[in-house]
Amino acid sequence: MIPPFSHLIRLARAGFVLAREGVFALVDPAALPGGAQLGLKLARLLERPTTASGATRLSTALGALGPSYVKLGQFLATRPDVVGQAIAADLESLQDKMPPFPQDEAEAAIERALGRPVHGMFAAFGPPIAAASVAQVHRAEIETPTGRKAVAVKVLRPGIERSLSADIQAFFFAARLAERISAEARRLRLTEVVATLARSVTVELDLRLEAAAASEMADNVKDDPDFRVPQVEWDLTAHNVLTTEWVDGTPLSDRGALERRGLDLPKLGRTVIQSFLRHAVRDGFFHADMHPGNLFVDDAGRLVAVDFGIMGRLTEKERRFLAEILYGFISRDYRRTAEVHFEAGYVPSHHSVEAFMQAIRAIGEPIHNRSAEDISMAKLLTLLFEVTALFDMKTRPELLLLQKTMVVVEGVGRMLDPKLDMWRTAEPVVRTWLERHLGAAGRVEEAVGGVSEVGRFLGGVPGLLARGSRIAEQLDRATRDGIALAPETVAGIGEAEARRNRGTTLALWAIAVLLLLHLLG
């Protein structure tokens, strides 16, 4: 355990860097209590003169504080409910780019992890081609029965686990302190926010988990004609090393190259949107970092995703919620959209469905009066979450991650086709899922699932009866010669009597008398 004093030193350093870069200028003092307003004024005395925008200030400060804060910034970009829409939008521009660490350190880390010399495992091993806060990537080649094959080798930065662990413990310390003194911090569940960040970082720090995520998504999309995932080389993957097939393709960030290839960019935009929705609604497992740098178009025209460090999951209930919400807005069925919120338990039952339906209509109707290119599903979900907050809807981190990813994916789709009709693009994916799961076939499957549950319960009944018989025998043996109260129980009765705590005393004696009566009867 790191002592609180160390946490305070780390947090004080972070506060100084944020103040120096002018980040506190982004905070609205009117929303703060008096003491905090005074602290904000004092912190702003440390600002150095700058003409940089808010986004640049924040990015500069977080970059100077190191990998943990870069990750924190990226994560908070998904939580506008915590930092506000303006700061969340600024954090979207935060780039996770760092100088690479030396080649010999990367090779030594790979050799320790895999237990073999680098040049014995790889026919060729090149310098780093990309470096981020947690890891860097090298292009390499391996020998296969059919010849040499290009691979991408991702290696964790040396010492990154220790550094991230210390900073995250400091974040927990700050969150717990804030929740003790602030009702708003408790409402936002800051400790849970940090816990979610910690889980996300844990996945990123164990590259076997990233490999498993890539493998799971590859299984999910194996029959999709327009989307694929690079193959994992499991023999060359360990805790801090991930090796996958090298993707020879055109990045979606290079529009000029896409045009030179003669690709149908509007069709490609629809593929990006539909693939994301298919993964979220059909599979309940989606890539949560689908920015243009992580998406490529291969020689066959298929979309290829890389970097599976940040993934999102939706349960069956959440997938139904999302599908019915989107379809409700598409069809203008606001009552059904409101009912879904109540059925899912997202809005407490003491609120009125009719009042909530009215709020939903206020979001949906303006959309239907706009042209296709002006309609934003991501903006709709943002407005929806703002309205639901008025109806005591608790923060749902998985839905906020979905909404954040939808913002990015929608931006990619619009980049490829500025006139992209989001609703027409989304409708077939959503309608197919609803027909499949809420139609006749879905009801049959649900009924079969119910029969299976009953069968499993009935199959377990003999075991339950056997356990019940054993417990009865044990009780009979324990009480055959009468019941003896344990010394702790007698002491407890005496202490309660001494304190004249009548309620506790009566309860203890009542338990003893009932046991004796049961045995005598």
Side-chain angles (χ1 to χ4, degrees):
M1 288 292 293
I2 298 176
F5 184 69
S6 298
H7 297 324
L8 290 172
I9 292 175
R10 284 178 173 271
L11 294 170
R13 173 180 172 268
F16 173 76
V17 173
L18 292 170
R20 184 189 63 192
E21 298 298 334
V23 173
F24 292 117
L26 303 173
V27 179
D28 180 11
L32 300 175
Q37 288 184 18
L38 177 60
L40 184 65
K41 288 179 182 178
L42 293 174
R44 295 204 60 187
L45 295 176
L46 300 173
E47 285 182 22
R48 61 183 180 184
T50 178
T51 57
S53 66
T56 305
R57 292 180 189 183
L58 200 50
S59 299
T60 301
L62 294 174
L65 287 167
S68 306
Y69 287 84
V70 171
K71 287 297 168 193
L72 177 65
Q74 291 177 322
F75 178 73
L76 290 178
T78 73
R79 299 302 303 269
D81 61 312
V82 174
V83 297
Q85 293 289 345
I87 293 179
D90 287 343
L91 289 171
E92 287 287 350
S93 66
L94 184 64
Q95 296 296 308
D96 190 5
K97 295 181 179 178
M98 304 285 284
F101 56 90
Q103 176 89 358
D104 59 343
E105 289 186 24
E107 293 186 7
I110 293 170
E111 290 178 352
R112 283 194 301 271
L114 300 176
R116 288 172 284 166
V118 164
H119 297 291
M121 294 180 281
F122 300 98
F125 191 85
I129 59 165
S133 58
V134 169
Q136 66 186 31
V137 178
H138 298 251
R139 189 183 191 280
E141 293 180 354
I142 59 174
E143 296 286 0
T144 71
T146 57
R148 283 195 175 189
K149 175 182 177 181
V151 293
V153 184
K154 185 174 184 178
V155 192
L156 290 185
R157 285 184 176 274
I160 189 66
E161 293 170 280
R162 184 170 59 254
S163 171
L164 284 174
S165 176
D167 281 333
I168 286 175
Q169 286 188 50
F171 297 160
F172 270 119
F173 176 81
R176 285 191 290 266
L177 186 61
E179 287 185 349
R180 278 202 295 270
I181 62 178
S182 168
E184 180 65 9
R186 289 191 293 274
R187 186 189 73 80
L188 293 171
R189 298 189 287 182
L190 292 186
T191 302
E192 185 178 317
V193 170
V194 177
T196 306
L197 170 64
R199 287 193 295 271
S200 173
V201 168
T202 298
V203 172
E204 290 198 70
L205 290 178
D206 190 339
L207 297 182
R208 294 169 300 186
L209 298 179
E210 182 177 339
S215 177
E216 181 177 349
M217 177 161 273
D219 286 344
N220 291 342
V221 305
K222 63 181 183 298
D223 296 325
D224 293 357
D226 49 12
F227 189 95
R228 74 179 185 89
V229 171
Q231 179 184 359
V232 175
E233 298 291 338
W234 285 102
D235 290 343
L236 297 172
T237 295
H239 176 82
N240 60 338
V241 179
L242 168 62
T243 305
T244 65
E245 162 196 359
W246 180 264
V247 177
D248 274 321
T250 307
L252 259 62
S253 55
D254 192 345
R255 183 185 176 91
L258 296 173
E259 290 175 340
R260 286 192 295 273
R261 285 185 55 183
L263 295 169
D264 184 341
L265 298 193
K267 180 182 178 183
L268 191 57
R270 292 193 297 274
T271 299
V272 172
I273 301 298
Q274 291 182 342
S275 295
F276 167 69
L277 287 174
R278 199 174 290 119
H279 303 158
V281 176
R282 180 193 68 189
D283 307 326
F285 188 58
F286 60 91
H287 193 304
D289 197 18
M290 287 182 68
H291 62 74
N294 280 342
L295 296 171
F296 297 80
V297 183
D298 66 12
D299 293 339
R302 292 174 297 180
L303 202 62
V304 187
V306 299
D307 194 353
F308 299 87
I310 305 175
M311 305 295 293
R313 284 194 187 275
L314 299 176
T315 65
E316 182 75 22
K317 181 177 82 169
E318 288 151 355
R319 288 149 64 186
R320 175 175 174 174
F321 170 74
L322 173 64
E324 291 215 56
I325 289 292
L326 293 178
Y327 200 74
F329 278 105
I330 292 170
S331 61
R332 300 174 74 177
D333 188 349
Y334 303 119
R335 169 166 283 280
R336 181 59 194 148
T337 302
E339 289 172 348
V340 168
H341 279 77
F342 283 82
E343 289 172 7
Y346 292 149
V347 178
S349 59
H350 66 265
H351 286 290
S352 163
V353 173
E354 286 72 21
F356 191 60
M357 178 182 70
Q358 183 180 355
I360 296 286
R361 181 180 289 274
I363 297 171
E365 281 304 296
I367 288 174
H368 291 282
N369 296 325
R370 296 180 182 177
S371 59
E373 58 266 29
D374 292 332
I375 296 174
S376 168
M377 282 176 22
K379 181 67 179 296
L380 179 143
L381 287 179
T382 301
L383 292 172
L384 183 62
F385 293 152
E386 288 177 0
V387 167
T388 51
L390 300 176
F391 288 81
D392 303 321
M393 177 175 168
K394 290 185 177 180
T395 300
R396 305 292 303 187
E398 66 282 356
L399 295 180
L400 289 168
L401 181 60
L402 174 84
Q403 183 256 336
K404 174 261 182 187
T405 309
M406 190 171 285
V407 170
V408 175
V409 170
E410 193 173 274
V412 175
R414 299 274 192 209
M415 178 191 73
L416 296 167
D417 179 13
K419 295 186 177 295
L420 182 67
D421 186 333
M422 292 297 299
W423 294 113
R424 185 172 295 177
T425 301
E427 194 268 346
V429 176
V430 175
R431 176 170 42 78
T432 298
W433 189 88
L434 288 173
E435 289 174 352
R436 173 70 182 79
H437 290 267
L438 301 184
R443 291 194 180 95
V444 170
E445 253 186 30
E446 191 174 335
V448 170
V451 171
S452 299
E453 287 294 328
V454 171
R456 279 194 290 273
F457 172 75
L458 292 175
V461 165
L464 289 172
L465 293 174
R467 284 196 293 274
S469 176
R470 286 196 297 272
I471 291 170
E473 289 175 2
Q474 290 168 3
L475 284 172
D476 181 60
R477 285 196 300 269
T479 59
R480 190 168 294 154
D481 298 321
I483 187 167
L485 294 178
E488 298 84 24
T489 306
V490 176
I493 294 172
E495 288 174 10
E497 184 68 32
R499 291 195 305 268
R500 298 186 182 277
N501 187 336
R502 294 180 180 178
T504 305
T505 305
L506 288 172
L508 287 168
W509 279 111
I511 291 169
V513 169
L514 285 171
L515 284 169
L516 288 169
L517 288 173
H518 175 73
L519 293 169
L520 293 172

